[in-house]
Structure formats: C-alpha cells, structure tokens
Amino acid sequence: MNSTSGNAAGAVQISYTVTFPEAQAHYADVEMNISGLAQNTLDLKMPVWTPGSYLVREFAKNIESFTASAINKAIDAPKLNKNTWRINTTGLSAVTVKYRVYCFEISVRTSFVDASHGFLSTSGIFVYPDKMLNAPSTIKIIPYKGWTTVSTSLEAVNGDQFTRHSPNYDILFDSPIEVGTQDVFGFDAAGVKYEVCMVGGGNYDKEKLKVDMAKIVEQETAVFGENPNKHYVFIVLNAQRGGGGLEHLSSTVLGASRDNYTNPAGYRNFLSLVAHEHFHLWNVKRLRPIVLGPFDYDNENYTTDLWIAEGFTAYYQNLILRHAGLITPETYLAAITGEINTIENQPGAKIQPLAEASFDAWIKSYRPNENSINTGISYYDKGAAVGMLLDLEIINDTKGKSSLDDVMKYLYNTYYKGKKRGYTDNEFKQGLEKFAGKNLDEFYKNYVYGVTPLDYNKYLGYAGYKATDEAAATNDPSLGVMIAEQNGKKYITTVLRGGAGWIDGINVNDELVTIDGAPVTDVPTMLNGKKVGDKITVTVMRDGLPITLPVTLLRNNRMKYKVDSLPDVTPAQMVVRKKWLALGE
C-alpha cells in the first residue's frame, strides 16, 4: 500500500544507521542521511501510531537529542509540533540527522532494547521526510556486542543480513526488526520460505512447530487460493508471561510464555495466535477496509469494519486449527462456547453496536477502564461470533457448496487483486450477500449496527447444535461485583451494570469490610442461606472513610452456556456440520 509521494522523492536517497552504544540503558541511536534534496525546507515526521494497533501512541515521546547537520556544520532543527521537526535546507542537497530513541516498553507493538537483544517496532524508530512516503531507504544495523543475528522481512542488501532495503515507508513501518542472538529455524509451506525467530528462550519443540505451523499456513492459503509472499518471518517474543500479536505484510510479531509450549492448552493457544496473525496477511494487510491504506501516520484512521478485519480473523483462528486437524471438533466447540459466554456476560454488549466498537477503537478498545465491561463490546469477540453466524448462514443456504471462505477469496480477488484498493462497508456486505443468496439488511441492522442479542441457536441449529444456558434455572443471590484481594483485603474492581452493587451504590476501589456486621471473608460463602430480595448491610472503606450501605440482593445473572448436539440431526443439518467442522464421512 503506497502513499502519495512528493515531487522530490524520486531523486532523494535515504539511509539509516542504527547502533546500540547504550543497549543496557535501553537506547537505539539512529543516524539518517538524506541526499538529492532540491527544496528549501525539509520536514521530518515520526508516526503517532503503528498499523494494526489502533491507538495514538505518540512515539515521538521517546526521541531525544535530535540534531541536524550539513557539510559538517550544525543546522537548526526546531520542532513544529509533537512529531515534526523542520530543517532549513536552502542551498543544501544533503543533510545528516541524529537522534536517540528510548526503547523500554515490552509488547508486540513497541520497541524494547536491553543488553540481550533489540526489538525495533519500526514506526516508532524511524522518522520520515514529509510527503515522501514512497521514497526507498537502506537500513544498516550495527549490533551491540555479542549480537549475531537480524530477523526481519526487509530484503538483505547484497546478502548482508545487517543491511536491509525498504522500497517505501509503508513497507518500512510494516517490517519490525529483531537483532540479537535469537534462535532461528525455518520451514517451507505453500511455496513460501518461512522463518521463525525465537527470542528469549522457551521449552518449544522446533520440529513439532515446523509441522504444525506449516499445516496452518497451508490451510489458510487454501482459503484465499494463493500465498502472496516469497518470504515470511515469525518474530516470537518469549517472556515469563507473554501474549498478543501484531500482524504485518510479510511478517508478524507474537508474544508467548516461554514455558507454556509443553502445556497442551498453552500450545493450542500459541497455535491459535499463529493462525490469527498469519491470517491477517490476507485479511486486513491486503483485503482491507478502504480507509486502512494508504495510511495517515499523523492521525487516527477510522473504520467501522474492524469487526471484519479483526473479528473474522478471530473466528478463523480456531476454525483453521480444526480444518487443519490440529484440534478436535469437541475442542473447537468448547472454544465457541467460551466466546459465547464472554459476549453474553458483558453488559456492554447491550449498549455498544459492533460497528461503533470498531470506529471507537482509538479511544476505547486500547484504553479500557473499570466501566468498560458495562459500556462496550470487543469487536474481536462479537466480530468472531458474527463471522460464525454468517458462515453457518452461507453453508446452510448453499446446502454445503459454499462457506465464508468463498466470500473471503472472492473479495480478495475483486478488491486487492482486481481493483487494487480496499472495500467499502457496502461492498463487503454485497460479497456476503452474493454467496448467501439473500439480502442481509436485517442481519446488519440487528447485529452490526444494532444491539439485538445474537440468535446463536438459529444459526447453530443449521448444523444440528444448540447453545443452552446451564445457569438459567438458578436463582442465587449476588452483589453483582467483581472482587480482588490485596494484602488480605477485598477490593471492588468492577460493578456490573444493573446488579445489586450498581443499584445500591457500591463503588470500584471500595474495600469490603463487613457484611451484616461480620468481617468479609469469602463473599459467596457469606451469602449462603440468603435469597434474592434479601436486604443486607455492607460496610466499605472509601477514600479512608467507612460507609455503610443497605443492599438488596439480586439474582446472579451470569450465564453459563454450553454447546451440544441436537438429539436428532437431520441429513441437511449433517451436510452443514460436515462442511463447517471439516468432518469426514
């Protein structure tokens, strides 16, 4: 995805040198050389966000000691705004810029440097010349002592792993760089060379990973009909407790727990993460909402379609494992059950529509607070559920001839390959309707733009399944709060909308002291013998002051769904089931 370049970009040559003279103090030092200038003013900018992570992170906050020089003389480089420096280049054809970047935020989307390695999330490392996003650049890495290896999807220059080439800034900002002593191994799948770089150690089995990751690659490639890469890199950041991932055009960064690979559930979760982030190389990196590229690196890039870009990818991450034979149908259905319970036990699902959750990602999704569960819904979770409903709708409507796979392949070919642009909201809907063979206005009105509860059983019923709330018949009393213990004290972390605590004034951060005069121990145990409608007295400490609250207990409305097969599955339902879950005869 190339952005518009200025007239000067064609003649300009840009190179960077990255060094780590104080890696132990978490610094990367960058020298940028620009030649071929033919302008009076050069503005250099740092992106404020990184594609795939929809939050303005203000990367310029980590820059210090920004200087410019030309012909061995210092020149002024005043700051125009939070992420722009202006250099007077009248009479100058070449400029050298130097700056330092503090890198001490451990995540898949931010840079981290210490004496053991450097992970460079490139949108927070490299400044770029304004209006020259199409300009190519060369990046030379001079490693810290003992560092031996560079892993990135950027092509090596003349076979030198420490010198890389980027054709434009969209590619550069989409190509993270790991430098250190990482364990690197590879495999071939779908005609592509895959490189896996393991950072931070771990109890992983390389040979097993090669086989299982290749199965994921082959299965996902089959959805779209082609794998557009020649070389793809998995950068895996292993930590004591790790998680998350960030997709890129020809690579991905995964966070993992280094000692979790031998745990069956932990290993499944890692493969699910692999499947999710790798699926993104098609869904969002190439088949994308129209506003997500060319990017505006100065501002938010709004879309109502993250429920497709992320939600559908979240749906596919476990479906791919099932279709690749890496998990059983039972394990897959258990994952579906977990997703249903997550959505249905979030009061915000009744407040925030899916499209709005996508649009507001910039101010809500990455900035959750104590009330988020009551006000919003994850476009990952609900988007995945909506993807499942649409998949089952299409499989049922076509009697097993088509599925959501066909929609994704058709749209990939039509918009990414054919029109060479992203899709609009309506164009994606039309693609779904093409294969469903019906108008989806009502579906969108209810489930995408509205907050109508998802009718799981209508769609699961197509495949002969049903979702049952096993807690529906219970009538247990509850305070309607979530509690955490700290130093032997019980603190309120969440007050659920509509619950007893919500109505009667219990607050987040309150310390629970007594219930009916008895010191608080285990709250559910203390409510044994109580009934819905009973009145109790709760004493809390709030801001150092004791407060006594009369509370009327309400029903614990937490749902506990389970997905089971219907007792008598019809042949038509079995056709849908076999297609959906990739079951043999």
Side-chain angles (χ1 to χ4, degrees):
M1 294 178 291
N2 294 339
S3 299
T4 304
S5 63
N7 294 331
V12 168
Q13 291 189 314
I14 303 169
S15 66
Y16 298 91
T17 302
V18 184
T19 58
F20 306 90
E22 291 189 295
Q24 83 289 348
H26 318 299
Y27 279 93
D29 286 37
V30 181
E31 178 179 310
M32 178 187 193
N33 285 285
I34 317 171
S35 61
L37 294 171
Q39 59 203 75
N40 293 330
T41 301
L42 176 67
D43 285 352
L44 296 178
K45 304 177 78 70
M46 171 69 82
V48 303
W49 70 290
T50 190
S53 181
Y54 306 100
L55 176 68
V56 170
R57 295 184 183 274
E58 312 292 22
F59 293 122
K61 68 186 178 184
N62 295 318
I63 288 185
E64 62 183 68
S65 304
F66 192 100
T67 62
S69 62
I71 321 173
N72 296 319
K73 290 183 180 179
I75 52 178
D76 289 339
K79 242 182 152 176
L80 288 188
N81 56 37
K82 64 183 181 181
N83 68 321
T84 309
W85 293 259
R86 173 162 290 176
I87 302 171
N88 184 341
T89 53
T90 302
L92 299 175
S93 62
V95 173
T96 297
V97 171
K98 295 181 180 181
Y99 57 93
R100 314 190 77 200
V101 186
Y102 182 66
C103 307
F104 196 56
E105 186 176 350
I106 299 176
S107 81
V108 297
R109 63 191 72 85
T110 51
S111 297
F112 180 86
V113 173
D114 66 9
S116 68
H117 78 111
F119 172 67
L120 306 180
S121 182
T122 43
S123 55
I125 295 291
F126 299 107
V127 296
Y128 68 94
D130 190 26
K131 298 182 174 60
M132 296 188 200
L133 284 170
N134 268 354
S137 59
T138 301
I139 301 92
K140 183 173 180 59
I141 306 287
I142 299 178
Y144 187 64
K145 59 186 178 185
W147 295 358
T148 58
T149 308
V150 173
S151 297
T152 180
S153 58
L154 294 172
E155 292 299 318
V157 176
N158 297 324
D160 177 7
Q161 68 161 331
F162 292 100
T163 305
R164 302 286 176 151
H165 172 76
S166 175
N168 59 59
Y169 280 96
D170 286 327
I171 298 291
L172 178 58
F173 295 148
D174 212 13
S175 305
I177 301 169
E178 170 65 27
V179 54
T181 57
Q182 61 269 28
D183 181 20
V184 178
F185 59 92
F187 61 90
D188 291 348
V192 178
K193 291 201 169 297
Y194 280 82
E195 176 185 335
V196 182
C197 112
M198 288 287 192
V199 182
N203 60 2
Y204 51 88
D205 180 334
K206 279 191 251 192
E207 296 309 312
K208 183 171 176 57
L209 279 173
K210 288 178 187 178
V211 171
D212 292 347
M213 292 173 78
K215 288 179 180 177
I216 291 169
V217 169
E218 296 284 1
Q219 194 64 51
E220 292 185 343
T221 301
V223 172
F224 292 92
E226 69 168 22
N227 193 315
N229 286 300
K230 294 180 181 177
H231 173 225
Y232 188 95
V233 180
F234 288 97
I235 297 174
V236 186
L237 304 178
N238 291 294
Q240 185 175 3
R241 288 182 296 276
L246 187 63
E247 70 276 4
H248 297 282
L249 194 68
S250 303
S251 64
T252 188
V253 186
L254 310 178
S257 298
R258 68 169 62 92
D259 296 325
N260 226 12
Y261 293 95
T262 53
N263 175 293
Y267 187 64
R268 277 198 309 272
N269 288 340
F270 178 74
L271 292 182
S272 181
L273 179 62
V274 168
H276 181 106
E277 301 303 339
H278 185 263
F279 194 83
H280 271 313
L281 79 84
W282 294 277
N283 190 31
V284 88
K285 297 313 302 184
R286 291 173 174 85
L287 171 62
R288 61 180 174 82
I290 196 163
V291 300
L292 293 184
F295 294 118
D296 176 353
Y297 293 104
D298 282 340
N299 300 287
E300 296 87 347
N301 291 226
Y302 293 103
T303 174
T304 55
D305 288 333
L306 293 181
W307 64 275
I308 300 167
E310 289 292 355
F312 278 27
T313 304
Y315 169 59
Y316 269 102
Q317 68 186 52
N318 289 314
L319 189 69
I320 289 295
L321 297 191
R322 171 60 218 132
H323 285 198
L326 291 168
I327 59 174
T328 64
E330 293 74 23
T331 299
Y332 176 71
L333 291 173
I336 292 293
T337 300
E339 290 166 2
I340 292 173
N341 281 316
T342 296
I343 296 164
E344 296 308 311
N345 286 305
Q346 187 151 346
K350 299 178 178 66
I351 303 297
Q352 185 184 48
L354 195 47
E356 181 185 296
S358 300
F359 193 84
D360 278 348
W362 296 91
I363 57 173
K364 292 188 177 181
S365 180
Y366 287 91
R367 287 179 175 144
N369 62 23
E370 67 285 343
N371 200 41
S372 293
I373 192 171
N374 294 315
T375 63
I377 189 66
S378 165
Y379 49 79
Y380 286 84
D381 297 332
K382 191 173 179 181
V386 167
M388 176 182 74
L389 304 192
L390 288 166
D391 197 9
L392 288 166
E393 180 72 57
I394 293 166
I395 296 171
N396 182 69
D397 292 344
T398 62
K399 297 181 170 56
K401 292 184 176 63
S402 298
S403 70
L404 190 58
D405 291 8
D406 298 284
V407 177
M408 302 303 281
K409 183 178 181 180
Y410 165 76
L411 292 169
Y412 174 81
N413 287 327
T414 300
Y415 294 100
Y416 170 68
K417 294 184 70 178
K419 299 181 184 294
K420 302 190 185 308
R421 64 168 175 83
Y423 55 79
T424 65
D425 296 30
N426 197 49
E427 286 168 342
F428 197 95
K429 177 172 171 284
Q430 288 171 353
L432 290 165
E433 291 172 336
K434 174 181 173 67
F435 287 90
K438 63 173 61 173
N439 180 291
L440 292 174
D441 286 355
E442 194 69 16
F443 185 97
Y444 264 66
K445 176 187 172 185
N446 291 336
Y447 299 150
V448 178
Y449 302 117
V451 291
T452 302
L454 299 180
D455 188 351
Y456 300 104
N457 283 333
K458 172 184 174 181
Y459 297 90
L460 287 171
Y462 293 153
Y465 290 105
K466 64 176 179 178
T468 306
D469 177 13
E470 295 182 312
T474 62
N475 198 35
D476 300 324
S478 171
L479 285 178
V481 299
M482 295 182 185
I483 301 168
E485 186 168 322
Q486 184 178 350
N487 298 324
K489 298 179 179 181
K490 305 285 196 303
Y491 291 93
I492 304 297
T493 57
T494 303
V495 179
L496 294 169
R497 183 185 293 270
W502 176 282
I503 291 170
D504 290 325
I506 296 177
N507 286 191
V508 167
N509 298 328
D510 283 353
E511 178 198 344
L512 278 179
V513 181
T514 68
I515 293 178
D516 284 342
V520 171
T521 52
D522 178 65
V523 173
T525 300
M526 295 183 76
L527 296 184
N528 278 345
K530 303 287 185 184
K531 298 190 294 293
V532 173
D534 284 354
K535 297 183 186 303
I536 62 172
T537 300
V538 177
T539 301
V540 301
M541 290 295 291
R542 182 180 300 167
D543 191 30
L545 300 174
I547 297 176
T548 299
L549 299 167
V551 176
T552 300
L553 293 173
L554 298 180
R555 178 181 177 272
N556 184 348
N557 59 6
R558 185 163 184 81
M559 301 172 193
K560 187 181 178 184
Y561 278 94
K562 187 178 181 210
V563 175
D564 292 303
S565 178
L566 292 167
D568 299 306
V569 180
T570 68
Q573 288 171 325
M574 189 55 71
V575 167
V576 176
R577 181 181 293 191
K578 286 182 176 180
K579 176 76 169 180
W580 182 40
L581 298 182
L583 301 176
E585 294 298 326

